């Protein structure tokens, strides 16, 4: 299903032009127009899923294969030192476009980006508590 109000549906299906670096029947991979680094790419399914919670199992299983393929392409063509795979769900997590997408962010030494988090220090009991909530 496509969403006629969704810009990523239009880009993924070729209705709006984009800088495409990979395409198959189910996905289009484009350059982000506000890139964190050179080669920052977005994997877009051609079907509309708002986020990971909505994603079909079939699209989920194919998406990581595309991520692997395009990551190899970025590694091969750009002189990258590393690569972050980022996928945001919900505004709190930084999602701004409500069409599932995976960021591939090439990393270069001293690129000035910080795609990391501040580790916290829960007690062993707190970890057990959260484990039991999740498993319960
Ligand atoms: P999010 O914050 O939802 O995980 O990521 C959305 C990403 O899409 C951002 O990095 C933003 O720069 C990119 N973006 C938003 N609109 C467009 C667009 O129209 N074209 C392209 N190429 N990238 C877009
Ligand atoms: Zn969409």
């Amino acid at each position: 299903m496509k969403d006629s109000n969704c810009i990523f549906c239009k880009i993924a299906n070729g209705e709006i032009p984009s800088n495409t670096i990979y395409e198959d029947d189910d996905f289009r991979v484009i350059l982000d127009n506000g890139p964190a680094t050179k080669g920052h790419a977005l994997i877009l399914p051609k079907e509309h899923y708002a986020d990971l919670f909505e994603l079909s199992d079939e699209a989920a299983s194919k998406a990581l294969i595309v991520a692997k393929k395009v990551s190899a392409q970025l590694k091969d063509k750009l002189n990258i030192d590393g690569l972050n795979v980022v996928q945001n769900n919900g505004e709190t997590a930084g999602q701004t476009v409500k069409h599932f997408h995976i960021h591939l962010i090439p990393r270069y030494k001293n690129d000035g980006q910080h795609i990391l988090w501040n580790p916290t220090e829960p007690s062993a009991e707190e970890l057990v508590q959260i484990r039991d909530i999740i498993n319960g």
Side-chain angles (χ1 to χ4, degrees), residues 6 9 48 99:
C6 172
C9 277
H48 181 85
H99 175 120

Side-chain angles (χ1 to χ4, degrees), residues 23-38:
E23 185 181 5
D24 63 24
D25 287 349
D26 305 301
F27 294 91
R28 181 187 296 272
V29 183
I30 64 167
L31 292 181
D32 194 303
N33 67 1
T37 63
K38 192 175 55 149

Side-chain angles (χ1 to χ4, degrees), residues 93-110:
Q95 185 179 15
T96 57
V97 181
K98 304 291 165 56
H99 175 120
F100 174 88
H101 52 281
I102 298 174
H103 296 258
L104 299 178
I105 306 178
R107 300 303 303 274
Y108 307 91
K109 282 193 183 79
N110 305 314

Side-chain angles (χ1 to χ4, degrees), residues 43-93:
I43 300 174
L44 312 179
K46 293 184 176 179
E47 293 294 313
H48 181 85
Y49 307 99
D51 53 28
L52 183 65
F53 303 107
E54 280 195 3
L55 194 66
S56 70
D57 285 358
E58 194 190 348
S61 64
K62 288 179 175 169
L64 199 57
I65 295 170
V66 173
K68 187 180 163 188
K69 204 176 287 189
V70 178
S71 294
Q73 191 181 351
L74 293 170
K75 187 166 184 273
D76 188 40
K77 298 291 175 62
L78 304 175
N79 197 22
I80 73 174
D81 298 311
L83 181 126
N84 290 110
V85 179
V86 176
Q87 202 279 305
N88 301 324
N89 300 281
E91 276 170 34
T92 305

